[in-house]
Amino acid sequence: MPMKRRDVLSAACAGTFSLSCWGQPEGQDPRELTWVVENFEPYFIQTGPLKGKGIGDRINQFLIDALPEYRHKIAYVPILRITEGLKKGQQQVITTYLKNPADLAFTQYSITSLVVPPLELTLRRQDWQRDWRASPQISLRAFLDAGKVVGLAGRRFYGDGITPIVTDRQRYPKGAYVQQSSHYRKLAEMVVQKHVDATIGYAAELKYFELSSPNAGQLISLPIVEEPNYLYAYVALPKTPWGDRLRERIDRVLSQKRNTPAYRAIMLDWFTPTPAFERAITARFNSSL
């Protein structure tokens, strides 16, 4: 992903950076737009035969094609530094973000850019068969109550159903093992190696892991009782006048094109298409959200 790398982390909200007459931090060209990608397969795939064909990669390209008035760049930014750029008002956006309450002071969001099935618990298949009697779903609270440890990625937001559980240090002081620089793939390897008992991710993440790791057959992902709902991702932009204008433009594009077969295929190619999933996409994309 060629581009001069720009640092991106938390530093304040409105009023902490100086804006030029164009409404963006000094020195930034308002016509320049950087699409942030991270090490997050299968959303962004940076190497191998599927390079550039991830879910987020394809949404990026879809929007790039629809925004010819901007000069587009793509830049890899580590996950821990993405919020820094949003706080600094840098002209960068990321297309597959869950709304994180911790970021609302300096981040604004488009209408829904992506509908995804609920997050799942990935654990060792033999543990699932032995300890959970091959149950079709698992309670995350019951899993942690049993003394199990779940590996988590630092700065990744796991949604409103899961986050309060894995951050409950009073009830589960040792239930969550957080690696700040990790992503699903590394954490899944830790599950295989028995360093942790499970991790949390989308079924599509295990699907991608299966394409690249001989150990993937030892794992299984199961629905989590406490998170039965579909999740919604958005294009995240800085809260600046430049971000306001771009969000309005992106919202118009998404409103017109996100419920088309070409756009829906971005999701259906990676997530298992089911009638329920198709209905969830239709319902969301026919709304104003």
Side-chain angles (χ1 to χ4, degrees), residues 181-205:
S181 59
S182 287
H183 285 269
Y184 179 90
R185 179 171 180 167
K186 185 173 181 180
L187 291 163
E189 290 284 6
M190 292 179 66
V191 177
V192 171
Q193 296 162 7
K194 300 186 177 182
H195 296 315
V196 294
D197 298 301
T199 189
I200 295 171
Y202 301 107
E205 290 180 90

Short mmCIF file of all heavy atoms in Angstrom, two decimals, residues 181-205:
data_model
loop_
_atom_site.label_atom_id
_atom_site.label_comp_id
_atom_site.label_asym_id
_atom_site.label_seq_id
_atom_site.Cartn_x
_atom_site.Cartn_y
_atom_site.Cartn_z
N SER A 181 -0.83 -5.34 19.82
CA SER A 181 -0.50 -5.29 18.39
C SER A 181 -1.02 -6.50 17.62
O SER A 181 -0.64 -6.73 16.47
CB SER A 181 1.02 -5.22 18.23
OG SER A 181 1.66 -6.34 18.83
N SER A 182 -1.88 -7.28 18.24
CA SER A 182 -2.34 -8.52 17.61
C SER A 182 -3.61 -8.31 16.78
O SER A 182 -4.36 -7.37 16.97
CB SER A 182 -2.63 -9.58 18.67
OG SER A 182 -1.44 -10.08 19.20
N HIS A 183 -3.82 -9.26 15.89
CA HIS A 183 -5.07 -9.36 15.15
C HIS A 183 -5.53 -10.81 15.24
O HIS A 183 -4.86 -11.66 15.86
CB HIS A 183 -4.88 -8.92 13.70
CG HIS A 183 -4.77 -7.44 13.57
ND1 HIS A 183 -5.84 -6.62 13.36
CD2 HIS A 183 -3.68 -6.63 13.66
CE1 HIS A 183 -5.44 -5.37 13.30
NE2 HIS A 183 -4.13 -5.35 13.48
N TYR A 184 -6.64 -11.11 14.63
CA TYR A 184 -7.25 -12.42 14.76
C TYR A 184 -6.28 -13.55 14.44
O TYR A 184 -6.20 -14.54 15.17
CB TYR A 184 -8.48 -12.51 13.87
CG TYR A 184 -9.17 -13.85 13.91
CD1 TYR A 184 -10.18 -14.11 14.83
CD2 TYR A 184 -8.82 -14.88 13.03
CE1 TYR A 184 -10.81 -15.34 14.89
CE2 TYR A 184 -9.44 -16.11 13.07
CZ TYR A 184 -10.44 -16.34 14.01
OH TYR A 184 -11.06 -17.56 14.05
N ARG A 185 -5.54 -13.42 13.35
CA ARG A 185 -4.68 -14.52 12.92
C ARG A 185 -3.67 -14.91 13.99
O ARG A 185 -3.50 -16.09 14.30
CB ARG A 185 -3.96 -14.14 11.63
CG ARG A 185 -3.04 -15.23 11.12
CD ARG A 185 -2.50 -14.91 9.74
NE ARG A 185 -1.61 -15.96 9.28
CZ ARG A 185 -1.20 -16.08 8.04
NH1 ARG A 185 -1.61 -15.23 7.12
NH2 ARG A 185 -0.39 -17.06 7.69
N LYS A 186 -3.00 -13.93 14.57
CA LYS A 186 -2.02 -14.23 15.61
C LYS A 186 -2.69 -14.82 16.84
O LYS A 186 -2.18 -15.75 17.47
CB LYS A 186 -1.25 -12.96 15.97
CG LYS A 186 -0.12 -13.20 16.96
CD LYS A 186 0.70 -11.94 17.15
CE LYS A 186 1.85 -12.18 18.14
NZ LYS A 186 2.65 -10.94 18.33
N LEU A 187 -3.86 -14.29 17.19
CA LEU A 187 -4.57 -14.80 18.35
C LEU A 187 -5.09 -16.21 18.10
O LEU A 187 -5.08 -17.05 19.01
CB LEU A 187 -5.73 -13.85 18.70
CG LEU A 187 -5.28 -12.49 19.24
CD1 LEU A 187 -6.42 -11.49 19.17
CD2 LEU A 187 -4.77 -12.62 20.67
N ALA A 188 -5.52 -16.51 16.86
CA ALA A 188 -5.96 -17.86 16.54
C ALA A 188 -4.80 -18.85 16.68
O ALA A 188 -4.98 -19.98 17.17
CB ALA A 188 -6.52 -17.90 15.12
N GLU A 189 -3.60 -18.44 16.28
CA GLU A 189 -2.42 -19.30 16.47
C GLU A 189 -2.16 -19.54 17.95
O GLU A 189 -1.76 -20.63 18.35
CB GLU A 189 -1.20 -18.66 15.81
CG GLU A 189 -1.22 -18.64 14.28
CD GLU A 189 -0.91 -20.01 13.68
OE1 GLU A 189 -0.80 -21.00 14.43
OE2 GLU A 189 -0.80 -20.08 12.43
N MET A 190 -2.40 -18.53 18.76
CA MET A 190 -2.23 -18.69 20.21
C MET A 190 -3.23 -19.68 20.78
O MET A 190 -2.91 -20.41 21.73
CB MET A 190 -2.37 -17.33 20.90
CG MET A 190 -1.24 -16.36 20.60
SD MET A 190 -1.47 -14.75 21.42
CE MET A 190 -1.31 -15.25 23.14
N VAL A 191 -4.43 -19.72 20.20
CA VAL A 191 -5.42 -20.72 20.63
C VAL A 191 -4.92 -22.12 20.28
O VAL A 191 -4.97 -23.04 21.10
CB VAL A 191 -6.80 -20.45 19.99
CG1 VAL A 191 -7.79 -21.53 20.40
CG2 VAL A 191 -7.33 -19.07 20.40
N VAL A 192 -4.44 -22.28 19.07
CA VAL A 192 -3.90 -23.58 18.63
C VAL A 192 -2.78 -24.03 19.56
O VAL A 192 -2.70 -25.20 19.96
CB VAL A 192 -3.40 -23.50 17.17
CG1 VAL A 192 -2.65 -24.78 16.79
CG2 VAL A 192 -4.57 -23.27 16.22
N GLN A 193 -1.90 -23.09 19.92
CA GLN A 193 -0.74 -23.42 20.75
C GLN A 193 -1.07 -23.49 22.24
O GLN A 193 -0.19 -23.71 23.07
CB GLN A 193 0.35 -22.37 20.51
CG GLN A 193 0.88 -22.37 19.08
CD GLN A 193 1.62 -21.11 18.72
OE1 GLN A 193 1.87 -20.24 19.57
NE2 GLN A 193 1.97 -20.96 17.45
N LYS A 194 -2.34 -23.29 22.58
CA LYS A 194 -2.84 -23.39 23.95
C LYS A 194 -2.29 -22.32 24.89
O LYS A 194 -2.20 -22.52 26.10
CB LYS A 194 -2.59 -24.79 24.53
CG LYS A 194 -3.27 -25.89 23.72
CD LYS A 194 -3.14 -27.26 24.38
CE LYS A 194 -3.89 -28.32 23.58
NZ LYS A 194 -3.83 -29.66 24.20
N HIS A 195 -1.93 -21.17 24.32
CA HIS A 195 -1.55 -20.04 25.16
C HIS A 195 -2.78 -19.34 25.72
O HIS A 195 -2.73 -18.74 26.79
CB HIS A 195 -0.70 -19.05 24.36
CG HIS A 195 0.61 -19.62 23.90
ND1 HIS A 195 1.45 -20.36 24.71
CD2 HIS A 195 1.22 -19.56 22.69
CE1 HIS A 195 2.51 -20.73 24.04
NE2 HIS A 195 2.40 -20.26 22.79
N VAL A 196 -3.87 -19.36 24.97
CA VAL A 196 -5.17 -18.90 25.44
C VAL A 196 -6.20 -19.95 25.01
O VAL A 196 -5.90 -20.82 24.19
CB VAL A 196 -5.54 -17.51 24.87
CG1 VAL A 196 -4.61 -16.44 25.39
CG2 VAL A 196 -5.55 -17.54 23.35
N ASP A 197 -7.39 -19.86 25.56
CA ASP A 197 -8.41 -20.88 25.27
C ASP A 197 -9.29 -20.53 24.09
O ASP A 197 -9.91 -21.43 23.49
CB ASP A 197 -9.28 -21.09 26.51
CG ASP A 197 -8.47 -21.60 27.70
OD1 ASP A 197 -7.86 -22.68 27.56
OD2 ASP A 197 -8.45 -20.91 28.73
N ALA A 198 -9.37 -19.27 23.75
CA ALA A 198 -10.24 -18.86 22.64
C ALA A 198 -9.90 -17.45 22.23
O ALA A 198 -9.16 -16.73 22.92
CB ALA A 198 -11.71 -18.94 23.06
N THR A 199 -10.44 -17.03 21.11
CA THR A 199 -10.41 -15.64 20.71
C THR A 199 -11.76 -15.32 20.09
O THR A 199 -12.62 -16.19 19.98
CB THR A 199 -9.25 -15.32 19.75
OG1 THR A 199 -9.17 -13.89 19.57
CG2 THR A 199 -9.43 -15.98 18.39
N ILE A 200 -11.96 -14.06 19.71
CA ILE A 200 -13.25 -13.63 19.18
C ILE A 200 -13.03 -13.00 17.81
O ILE A 200 -12.11 -12.20 17.63
CB ILE A 200 -13.92 -12.63 20.13
CG1 ILE A 200 -14.26 -13.32 21.47
CG2 ILE A 200 -15.20 -12.06 19.51
CD1 ILE A 200 -14.74 -12.37 22.55
N GLY A 201 -13.87 -13.37 16.85
CA GLY A 201 -13.76 -12.79 15.52
C GLY A 201 -14.97 -13.17 14.68
O GLY A 201 -15.89 -13.84 15.16
N TYR A 202 -14.95 -12.74 13.44
CA TYR A 202 -16.03 -13.10 12.51
C TYR A 202 -15.72 -14.46 11.90
O TYR A 202 -14.56 -14.86 11.76
CB TYR A 202 -16.15 -12.05 11.42
CG TYR A 202 -16.44 -10.67 11.93
CD1 TYR A 202 -15.46 -9.68 11.93
CD2 TYR A 202 -17.70 -10.35 12.45
CE1 TYR A 202 -15.74 -8.40 12.40
CE2 TYR A 202 -17.97 -9.08 12.93
CZ TYR A 202 -16.98 -8.11 12.90
OH TYR A 202 -17.24 -6.86 13.38
N ALA A 203 -16.78 -15.17 11.51
CA ALA A 203 -16.58 -16.45 10.85
C ALA A 203 -15.70 -16.30 9.62
O ALA A 203 -14.91 -17.19 9.28
CB ALA A 203 -17.93 -17.06 10.48
N ALA A 204 -15.80 -15.16 8.94
CA ALA A 204 -14.97 -14.92 7.76
C ALA A 204 -13.49 -14.84 8.10
O ALA A 204 -12.64 -15.15 7.26
CB ALA A 204 -15.42 -13.63 7.07
N GLU A 205 -13.17 -14.46 9.33
CA GLU A 205 -11.76 -14.42 9.73
C GLU A 205 -11.19 -15.83 9.86
O GLU A 205 -10.05 -16.09 9.43
CB GLU A 205 -11.60 -13.65 11.04
CG GLU A 205 -11.86 -12.17 10.88
CD GLU A 205 -11.70 -11.40 12.17
OE1 GLU A 205 -10.57 -10.93 12.45
OE2 GLU A 205 -12.70 -11.25 12.91
#
